[in-house]
Amino acid sequence: VATLDGAAAYRDAEFVVIAAPTNYDPQRNFFDTSAGEEVVGKVMSVNPQAVVVIKSTVPVGYTSALRKKLGCGNILFSPEFLRESMALYDNLYPSRIIVGYPKMIDEFDEENAAIRAIAGNHLEEAAHTFAGLLQEGAIKEDVPVLFMGLKEAEAVKLFANTYLALRVSYFNELDTYAEVKGLDTQAIINGIGLDPRIGTHYNNPSFGYGGY
């Protein structure tokens, strides 16, 4: 049931997914994570037993730092891999499912009895349960599922974004060269795309919104 009442939505939830914007500010050189932190704080005040799953793009180490900052151990990180205008399709046919959880008890866990009590096996089980929910919601069968540490999961998202941005830049440069030299851009792309190491996907000169 859809609702605008956050407290009502969080009260009986087993999982709360955070997909708040974390736009990167190149001038200040940081991700604005304030919206997500505000939501996590509200969830904790209403239902401290809920497992919070962050899907927003965040810096490496953010989730661990947030656990310490807010005193909340029930936080997982599961990156989303959604393209512009293709979000529904990419949820139904995901390329992979990744869930990060604390692989070991950190200094915060050692110092905080409440966090220590819910660390370890509890979050590992929660990670597998959440991955199962994503699998159930997908139409695609046999979706690859990976479990890893929080920082590794955060890094997967950032490095995937970086690679795709480089790929867009590459084909944009190819297009610029072809235009300057009076060449057929598409013919060149078709020729190099048949190399299986390059492939025929995500190779159209564009602003990068999907690249197909």
Side-chain angles (χ1 to χ4, degrees):
V1 178
T3 179
L4 296 177
D5 186 341
Y10 309 145
R11 188 167 294 114
D12 298 318
E14 182 177 351
F15 291 94
V16 176
V17 178
I18 307 293
T22 54
N23 296 327
Y24 181 77
D25 185 340
Q27 299 300 321
R28 301 174 67 184
N29 194 33
F30 85 118
F31 288 91
D32 182 0
T33 58
S34 58
E37 291 180 20
E38 181 180 354
V39 176
V40 176
K42 290 180 179 178
V43 173
M44 289 178 57
S45 67
V46 176
N47 182 2
Q49 302 305 314
V51 175
V52 175
V53 183
I54 297 176
K55 278 194 162 289
S56 304
T57 302
V58 297
V60 173
Y62 170 78
T63 307
S64 293
L66 185 63
R67 295 173 70 237
K68 297 177 183 179
K69 179 179 179 179
L70 299 182
C72 178
N74 278 356
I75 304 180
L76 305 175
F77 181 80
S78 178
E80 54 85 4
F81 304 103
L82 308 180
R83 296 165 292 169
E84 286 285 333
S85 76
M86 299 288 288
L88 177 59
Y89 180 91
D90 290 338
N91 271 303
L92 297 177
Y93 300 91
S95 58
R96 70 279 205 198
I97 293 171
I98 293 177
V99 184
Y101 66 94
K103 287 284 204 169
M104 60 185 69
I105 297 178
D106 58 25
E107 295 177 1
F108 177 55
D109 296 326
E110 293 176 355
E111 296 173 358
N112 190 308
I115 300 304
R116 185 171 63 248
I118 58 177
N121 291 338
H122 171 75
L123 282 183
E124 183 175 1
E125 292 173 5
H128 282 77
T129 299
F130 183 73
L133 293 174
L134 296 181
Q135 288 176 295
E136 289 179 18
I139 293 176
K140 179 180 177 180
E141 297 181 358
D142 300 320
V143 179
V145 180
L146 297 176
F147 298 96
M148 59 188 69
L150 293 169
K151 293 179 181 179
E152 286 77 11
E154 293 164 339
V156 167
K157 173 62 175 176
L158 293 176
F159 278 103
N161 282 359
T162 301
Y163 173 80
L164 294 174
L166 289 171
R167 192 172 173 102
V168 169
S169 297
Y170 174 85
F171 284 103
N172 282 343
E173 289 297 318
L174 183 158
D175 182 53
T176 299
Y177 177 86
E179 184 175 352
V180 169
K181 298 296 184 179
L183 306 176
D184 184 340
T185 297
Q186 196 57 54
I188 300 171
I189 291 176
N190 289 342
I192 67 173
L194 290 177
D195 186 324
R197 296 169 299 178
I198 298 174
T200 58
H201 61 284
Y202 218 80
N203 58 12
N204 288 335
S206 68
F207 292 108
Y209 301 128
Y212 283 82

